Amino acid sequence: MQGTTTQDGAAQGEQGVSRGDGAPRRLAALRPEQATGKARELLADIVERHGSAGEMVSTMAHSPAVLEGYLNLSRATKRVKIPRALSEKISLAVQEWIGCGTCRQAHIEAARAAGLHDSDIELARQGTSTDAREAALIAVALKVLVEPSALGDQDVAELREHGWSDRIIAEVVAVVTLNMLTGAFNLLAGIQPADDENGEDT
């Protein structure tokens, strides 16, 4: 989830919360006093500034390296030059492939907030767009995720032909990487929605 820490409210205790099937999370969310080292400091700062930390962030606090790495990458990607709506389209395409329902729901909400219509969102989930320039960038983003070893001169040349700058091309990798981190982490930890109403094909 690019640049968001709004997973669902305050951090939970050692036993975590239940998944949609009633089973406990595989990794429990931590309160600041339960975290250690740098993670305790980072989590306490988030709670102090925002009142609570999202479940994903609180769970990442098991590892100071993971939490700090996520926060730094998330903040950095807020400065990319990829337009917000297009960044959300990329995130939707990537999360649809990864299969993280929590991230999918978050990016659907963020896409709507960025002004995208449901038809735009559905196309993004299918890995494309009605805009040829956007479709080309989304296609390369999925290639970065699924088959990075197949990336080559033609991919970069085609993006340049569509008018994308080298900065934008480079930033696609960062957006994909952030989504891979959040999606894979949530799936591993068992942080998934009880009822993923957006998970079915429409």
Side-chain angles (χ1 to χ4, degrees):
M1 295 177 298
Q2 182 187 349
T4 106
T5 56
T6 56
Q7 281 297 98
D8 50 277
Q12 304 294 321
E14 290 180 344
Q15 298 305 312
V17 295
S18 296
R19 303 203 302 266
D21 56 7
R25 301 294 198 218
R26 299 184 189 101
L27 299 178
L30 302 180
R31 297 186 297 273
E33 63 270 21
Q34 295 171 313
T36 61
K38 183 69 171 180
R40 175 183 294 217
E41 175 187 334
L42 292 169
L43 196 55
D45 180 65
I46 292 170
V47 172
E48 181 179 352
R49 288 188 291 112
H50 300 290
S52 66
E55 188 178 351
M56 182 189 72
V57 170
S58 299
T59 306
M60 284 181 170
H62 283 284
S63 168
V66 171
L67 179 56
E68 186 170 20
Y70 163 71
L71 292 173
N72 286 340
L73 182 57
S74 179
R75 289 163 183 159
T77 55
K78 291 179 181 179
R79 300 192 296 273
V80 300
K81 290 299 184 182
I82 300 173
R84 171 69 184 281
L86 178 53
S87 178
E88 290 302 333
K89 288 183 179 182
I90 292 171
S91 295
L92 284 165
V94 170
Q95 293 299 345
E96 193 70 23
W97 185 275
I98 293 172
C100 175
T102 296
C103 295
R104 182 193 300 116
Q105 287 187 353
H107 284 292
I108 286 174
E109 293 172 7
R112 287 171 176 156
L116 294 179
H117 299 295
D118 286 347
S119 58
D120 300 318
I121 291 171
E122 182 58 30
L123 284 174
R125 292 178 62 184
Q126 295 172 21
T128 190
S129 169
T130 56
D131 184 291
R133 294 180 72 244
E134 292 186 351
L137 202 65
I138 294 170
V140 169
L142 286 175
K143 199 169 184 179
V144 168
L145 173 70
V146 178
E147 198 177 11
S149 63
L151 291 164
D153 295 344
Q154 184 176 354
D155 297 298
V156 175
E158 287 181 356
L159 291 181
R160 286 172 175 162
E161 287 175 5
H162 279 289
W164 295 116
S165 68
D166 286 2
R167 174 172 179 168
I168 294 293
I169 294 171
E171 289 175 346
V172 166
V173 178
V175 173
V176 171
T177 300
L178 179 60
N179 276 279
M180 181 62 187
L181 173 60
T182 58
F185 184 88
N186 282 334
L187 287 166
L188 176 66
I191 303 171
Q192 293 300 295
D195 181 18
D196 183 9
E197 62 181 14
N198 297 303
E200 299 297 324
D201 293 336
T202 56

